[in-house]
Amino acid sequence: MNEYEHFRRMLADGLAVYKARLGRNNSEVGYRLGISHTTVARILNGEAVTTNTDTFLRIMGAAGLVVRKKEEKFEKV
């Protein structure tokens, strides 16, 4: 599993929890997030989808994920 597949799986798992917590179907979750029910299904299946940045951040927030800058590691000289 490459890095992107792992991230898509984390996004899918988080979105599944969000959906279950709300007790909603894909159409209702999609409406809340501003995406189609088909896009919700694709995300839940771990497939790649294309969205704009604002929508992607909304989906991430719903999935319980946050954006964090990687820490740079410097070697001592």
Side-chain angles (χ1 to χ4, degrees):
M1 179 180 298
N2 68 36
E3 182 180 357
Y4 295 116
E5 289 169 343
H6 177 69
F7 183 76
R8 283 195 299 270
R9 186 75 267 151
M10 289 186 345
L11 190 62
D13 291 345
L15 190 58
V17 169
Y18 175 77
K19 179 182 168 185
R21 192 168 13 109
L22 292 177
R24 305 286 187 214
N25 62 35
N26 289 357
S27 293
E28 294 166 325
V29 170
Y31 179 78
R32 291 176 78 109
L33 297 175
I35 58 179
S36 71
H37 69 280
T38 305
T39 301
V40 173
R42 288 179 178 164
I43 293 169
L44 291 173
N45 288 329
E47 298 174 27
V49 297
T50 302
T51 67
N52 65 45
T53 305
D54 290 340
T55 302
F56 178 68
L57 293 173
R58 261 194 319 276
I59 296 166
M60 283 189 58
L65 301 174
V66 295
V67 176
R68 181 175 53 100
K69 185 175 180 178
K70 287 184 178 182
E71 294 183 24
E72 294 183 42
K73 295 181 182 180
F74 296 100
E75 294 183 26
K76 292 183 179 181
V77 181

